[in-house]
Amino acid sequence: MTNQEILQIALQQSALDCHCDAADFLSGENNVVLSRPDPRARAYLPLPLACDLVSYGSNIVAQVSPVTREAVEWYIGKYAVAACFETPNVLVLNEKLAEFGYQVCFMAEYFLPDLDALREQPCRFELRILHPEEFEPYYTDEWRNALCKERKHLDVLAVGAFDGETLVGLAGCSADCETMYQIGVDVLPAYRRQGVASAMTSLLAMQTLSLGKVPFYCAAWSNIRSVRNAIRCGFRPAWVELTARDSAFVGAMNR
């Protein structure tokens, strides 16, 4: 697998998620499409979506509902690509969507591995590769980023860091779609800033690639610790995504 092949796999998956063509993300022109369910989309996407903006840097592909189409089309036509994913412009989108009962909910940056930079990182703790039959004790709040108890069937591989027999860090990957596995990481507070996260992440990424799957990594802009971990391990920014959800869903999250 090459870096170009990894990017193409990600583009193809984004096309399935957004019901468009992979080339649409590189066209240089914004594209608005009606959101539709697809069994090949990432498992956690509640398709169809009223507003979901995706950019690989040169343009925006927006999947929308018939009700929100005009408002979203106006928004991405008014502002520059990068500005559509940041305040204060996002506040304009939020006001427009509020008319239809939606609010901006998720904003994140997604990373893909750079094969020229991905390297196994050192760790002074023992690293163990774990498989699904070993996950059950770890479906707790401590490890909620690495494993997801609501979607246990998607958790396919993990790397644990052990101090003796005590688990101090866990990186897991979920089979969110056929070709790409998402990596999530947790480290106990007392063991942070010791290279545990980067050692687990890099090893898990390499194990995922050995299975013929593309590892990807998601972080909020404000999560500096997570972004630094991604870059340290050899991941590089690939695309950004902004998703709106209905106001009741957003309100429940804020409670």
Side-chain angles (χ1 to χ4, degrees):
M1 203 178 296
T2 66
N3 284 336
Q4 187 57 39
E5 287 169 338
I6 286 173
L7 175 60
Q8 191 59 39
I9 288 170
L11 288 167
Q12 292 286 356
Q13 185 57 49
S14 290
L16 295 175
D17 297 340
C18 296
H19 195 70
C20 66
D21 295 325
D24 290 341
F25 297 98
L26 305 177
S27 69
E29 300 290 333
N30 291 338
N31 189 18
V32 179
V33 297
L34 288 178
S35 182
R36 298 178 185 176
D38 191 314
R40 300 166 296 175
R42 280 175 286 160
Y44 56 85
L45 293 179
L47 298 175
L49 290 165
C51 175
D52 182 62
L53 311 184
V54 177
S55 177
Y56 278 76
S58 62
N59 67 324
I60 296 173
V61 172
Q63 59 173 322
V64 299
S65 70
V67 171
T68 61
R69 179 168 194 153
E70 184 176 350
V72 175
E73 198 163 24
W74 172 86
Y75 176 74
I76 65 173
K78 180 175 176 61
Y79 300 110
V81 171
C84 286
F85 294 86
E86 62 186 16
T87 55
N89 298 331
V90 167
L91 301 179
V92 175
L93 176 62
N94 208 46
E95 290 176 0
K96 290 283 187 181
L97 294 175
E99 299 176 18
F100 311 107
Y102 297 97
Q103 295 178 346
V104 173
C105 187
F106 300 114
M107 299 168 62
E109 187 171 21
Y110 289 81
F111 299 77
L112 292 173
D114 178 352
L115 298 183
D116 296 323
L118 182 65
R119 296 288 185 275
E120 192 168 336
Q121 302 290 322
C123 184
R124 69 186 187 91
F125 301 103
E126 180 190 0
L127 299 182
R128 301 178 192 170
I129 297 172
L130 305 174
H131 297 92
E133 60 270 19
E134 302 170 271
F135 293 168
E136 193 57 40
Y138 307 125
Y139 283 108
T140 64
D141 285 346
E142 285 177 317
W143 315 115
R144 64 183 178 275
N145 291 315
L147 299 175
C148 180
K149 62 183 177 182
E150 288 78 24
R151 295 191 296 271
K152 293 181 180 181
H153 63 288
L154 298 179
D155 292 330
V156 292
L157 193 65
V159 171
F162 289 83
D163 185 357
E165 290 304 312
T166 301
L167 183 68
V168 301
L170 186 65
C173 62
S174 58
D176 291 340
C177 52
E178 176 61 30
T179 57
M180 302 178 71
Y181 290 176
Q182 181 170 193
I183 291 178
V185 186
D186 289 297
V187 179
L188 296 182
Y191 290 85
R192 292 172 185 166
R193 304 183 70 87
Q194 300 180 54
V196 175
S198 59
M200 296 189 305
T201 303
S202 58
L203 178 56
L204 185 58
M206 295 170 71
Q207 289 290 316
T208 300
L209 285 165
S210 73
L211 298 174
K213 307 296 183 180
V214 172
F216 71 103
Y217 189 106
C218 175
W221 284 270
S222 57
N223 194 341
I224 299 300
R225 186 170 60 204
S226 184
V227 171
R228 283 177 174 167
N229 179 53
I231 293 172
R232 189 180 303 116
C233 294
F235 282 80
R236 299 294 181 260
W239 78 94
V240 292
E241 194 158 351
L242 178 154
T243 307
R245 298 292 300 273
D246 67 81
S247 297
F249 179 90
V250 176
M253 288 195 69
N254 284 333
R255 285 197 294 271

